[in-house]
């Protein structure tokens, strides 16, 4: 399962070059050097993928659940057998520590296939009896051809989180990974070929959003779109897909509060807060970037957070001791750096970090940024309202539960929220009132794949996970039979 220098599209069961013959540069963010090339695909490549998917659909939708399950399990096994190769490729492509790709990204991609390989065996539909008159039963049929589009922050993890349930439910898929991190999706194509997935069932087309993604959204034969990415992209996708009455699942941006009460388990909270602030360099949609702290422990928390943040190791993604690797791209480094400048303009104080890490040798041009803690900002300034998506957190004191809630709910986003407290009645009050689709109490990123996942407000519409995903990727049809 080797990474290659020239990546190919996976269409109709074969690895093929883009029809235009054009390629895009793929940059290693830790060295800022081009190390491979990906297809610069366009509408013609998407058309070939749709033709292949259309040809495959009658067979795949009638394939027994046991056989679909067997094939998805086999893909999962192949990913597991090639864990190291996948993890190293993910690290080079995204700049993230190999240790993270080895323990989180790739095992989760493997788990996604395994989970839906078995979930489909237990997915059932309802019957509704009208006593003495009729029986209703509901078929859950695959939709047909569906589009799956994913971002760069958790490349294979999020790509497979969509593809696995779509395939399990009997759909054929046209999928596009992020152009910023295409390598493991390319390796997945090889895994599917090795597993014997029938031609055309899954098609993976690489390229830019407007050029290769947009034709997926616009294609009249693609009936559902599962998208994860930025809120503005989601808005553009909805503007095209909604008038075509496509089924839409949009998992978008976040600006998540991490709310810390004085009665929490301080040590556990500190340990997890360091992760929820800076894991994957803060490039996880669920990171808690606004930290709200009850005033009585604010000074103690601040001193401890700054001390622990300064001890994080930023550097070579391949080294075992590295906590934070490089940011994913130069454009993203510039975006995050601009927000750090804005934080100062808005009256904030940079308590630690705030600048690039001076590196030497191979990494001297890499996109490394020190993890940054900012205080002294108002809850409604731009830095506290807009998604930064980097290793930057703000800290703010609060006096009452009501104040914490109003700060927490003040953004246009509503993806996740974390609460640290031992008071169970407060947990209930807060959980009810927090405007978010995912709430963590005294933990963070603890995921059971059966639970619904998604946001409210501008963080998206629809839910992924467990049966929610299988419901999204099927169309219910009620059949009413009179006695
Ligand atoms: P992005 O919106 O720029 O791109 C996401 C994907 O959409 C890429 O594959 C891109 O090529 C494609 N795309 C772009 N324009 C398109 C168009 N017009 N038509 C079709 N496809 C198009 O997002 P990104 O920068 O890759 O990822 C970061 C964002 O993703 C952040 O906002 C983050 O919060 C969000 N995210 C959300 C979740 C979640 O579950 N809610 C998870 C991870 C990341």
């Amino acid at each position: 399962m080797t990474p290659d220098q020239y990546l190919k599209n996976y269409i109709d069961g074969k690895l093929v070059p883009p029809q235009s013959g054009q390629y895009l540069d793929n940059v290693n963010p830790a060295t800022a050097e081009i190390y491979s090339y990906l297809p610069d695909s366009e509408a013609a490549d998407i058309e070939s993928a749709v033709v292949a998917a259309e040809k495959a659909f009658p067979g795949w939708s009638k394939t027994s659940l046991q056989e679909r399950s067997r094939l998805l399990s086999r893909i999962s096994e192949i990913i597991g057998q090639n864990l190291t190769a996948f993890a190293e490729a993910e690290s080079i492509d995204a700049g993230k520590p190999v240790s993270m790709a080895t323990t989180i990204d790739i095992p989760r991609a493997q788990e996604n296939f395994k989970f839906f390989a078995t979930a489909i065996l237990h997915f059932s539909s309802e019957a509704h009896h009208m006593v003495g008159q009729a029986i209703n039963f509901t078929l859950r049929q695959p939709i047909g051809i569906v589009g799956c589009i994913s971002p760069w922050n958790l490349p294979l993890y999020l790509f497979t989180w969509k593809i696995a349930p779509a395939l399990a439910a009997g759909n054929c898929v046209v999928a596009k990974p992020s152009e910023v991190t295409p390598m493991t999706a390319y390796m997945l194509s090889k895994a599917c070929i090795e597993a014997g997935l029938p031609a055309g069932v899954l098609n993976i087309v690489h390229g830019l959003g407007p050029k290769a993604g947009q034709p997926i959204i616009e294609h009249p034969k693609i009936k559902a779109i599962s998208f994860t990415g930025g809120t503005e992209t989601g808005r553009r996708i909805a503007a095209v897909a909604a008038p075509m009455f496509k089924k839409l699942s949009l998992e978008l941006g976040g600006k998540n509060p991490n709310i810390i009460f004085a009665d929490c388990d301080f040590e556990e909270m500190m340990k997890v807060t360091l992760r929820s602030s800076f894991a994957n360099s803060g490039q996880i949609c669920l990171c808690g970037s606004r930290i709200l702290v009850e005033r009585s422990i604010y000074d103690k928390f601040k001193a401890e957070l700054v001390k622990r943040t300064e001890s994080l190791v930023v550097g070579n993604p391949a080294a075992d001791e590295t906590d934070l690797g490089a940011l994913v791209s130069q454009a993203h480094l510039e975006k995050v750096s601009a927000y750090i400048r804005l934080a100062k303009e808005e009256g904030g104080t940079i308590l630690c970090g705030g600048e690039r890490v001076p590196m030497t040798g191979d990494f001297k041009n890499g996109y490394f940024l020190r993890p940054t803690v900012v205080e002294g900002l108002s809850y409604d300034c731009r830095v506290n309202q807009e998604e930064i998506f980097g290793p930057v957190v703000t800290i703010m004191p609060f006096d009452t539960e009501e104040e914490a809630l109003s700060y927490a709910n003040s953004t246009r986003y509503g993806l996740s929220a974390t609460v640290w407290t031992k008071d169970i009645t407060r947990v209930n009050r807060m959980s009810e009132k927090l405007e978010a689709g995912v709430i963590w109490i005294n933990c963070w990123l603890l995921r059971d794949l059966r639970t619904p996942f998604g946001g409210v407000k501008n963080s998206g519409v629809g839910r992924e996970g467990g049966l929610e995903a299988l419901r999204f990727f099927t169309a219910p049809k009620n059949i009413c039979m009179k006695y």
Side-chain angles (χ1 to χ4, degrees), residues 115-196:
F115 178 87
F116 285 106
T118 51
I120 195 63
L121 299 176
H122 303 274
F123 187 48
S124 56
S125 56
E126 312 84 29
H128 300 93
H129 188 196
M130 299 166 78
V131 180
Q133 284 188 73
I135 180 95
N136 291 273
F137 64 93
T138 309
L139 292 183
R140 284 250 160 209
Q141 294 177 303
I143 294 169
I145 308 173
V146 301
C148 297
I149 299 181
S150 60
W152 49 255
N153 65 320
L154 296 165
L156 194 65
Y157 173 135
L158 290 173
F159 197 53
T160 54
W161 183 229
K162 300 178 176 307
I163 289 172
L167 295 178
N171 300 287
C172 290
V173 176
V174 178
K176 193 193 87 60
S178 170
E179 63 276 23
V180 184
T181 51
M183 189 57 87
T184 49
Y186 171 62
M187 292 164 73
L188 176 67
S189 319
K190 294 187 178 185
C192 291
I193 294 171
E194 187 180 330

Side-chain angles (χ1 to χ4, degrees), residues 149-153 158 176-179 208-210 213-214 217 227-230 233 237 251-254 285 387 389 415 453:
I149 299 181
S150 60
W152 49 255
N153 65 320
L158 290 173
K176 193 193 87 60
S178 170
E179 63 276 23
L208 300 169
Q214 187 85 13
I217 308 303
F227 169 79
T228 299
T233 316
I237 288 174
E251 303 294 339
L252 310 176
C285 55
E387 186 184 45
F389 213 54
L415 189 52
F453 176 88

Side-chain angles (χ1 to χ4, degrees), residues 5 14 40 133 339 379-380 398 401 406 432 452 457:
Q5 200 183 12
K14 293 182 276 298
D40 184 9
Q133 284 188 73
Y339 273 107
Y379 76 92
D380 58 353
F398 68 83
E401 196 177 302
S406 74
E432 212 174 272
K457 294 157 77 177

Side-chain angles (χ1 to χ4, degrees), residues 70-72 74-76 78 189-198:
R70 187 191 69 75
L71 281 163
L72 296 187
R74 183 70 194 117
I75 296 169
S76 171
I78 294 170
S189 319
K190 294 187 178 185
C192 291
I193 294 171
E194 187 180 330
L197 191 70

